[in-house]
Amino acid sequence: MKLVKIGKFYINPEAIDEIEGNDKKTFIGMRSNNSLNASLPIEKVLQAISGSQEHLRIEGDAAKKVVSNKKNHLR
């Protein structure tokens, strides 16, 4: 699984259904019926999703740890 950092959240780009935004805020709709409102321009969000070098990608065991921590936090 690949996770991309958008603002202070890590999301799986494959789970994104829709993206709307402007030069100040971006709405990201997810397949799980969750949504994320990022205080970032849509251009930055799209760069992060497409793999711009300036944005963090996490793969492998590190990704599993982030997902595990998020699940424990939601309980």
Side-chain angles (χ1 to χ4, degrees), residues 2-71:
K2 176 178 73 173
L3 297 177
V4 177
K5 184 175 183 182
I6 298 179
K8 58 183 176 179
F9 299 98
Y10 293 91
I11 64 169
N12 178 355
E14 295 175 10
I16 296 173
D17 271 343
E18 64 178 307
I19 299 176
E20 297 177 18
N22 56 36
D23 61 339
K24 294 184 182 181
K25 290 192 169 214
T26 303
F27 169 82
I28 303 170
M30 310 290 278
R31 270 191 235 143
S32 60
N33 291 329
N34 292 327
S35 62
L36 171 67
N37 287 306
S39 297
L40 295 167
I42 192 168
E43 181 180 320
K44 291 284 186 189
V45 172
L46 293 174
Q47 286 174 354
I49 292 167
S50 68
S52 172
Q53 292 296 321
E54 67 189 69
H55 297 280
L56 177 64
R57 286 177 174 252
I58 299 177
E59 296 183 2
D61 291 337
K64 291 176 187 171
K65 184 176 179 182
V66 170
V67 171
S68 174
N69 289 341
K70 294 278 184 189
K71 286 181 182 175

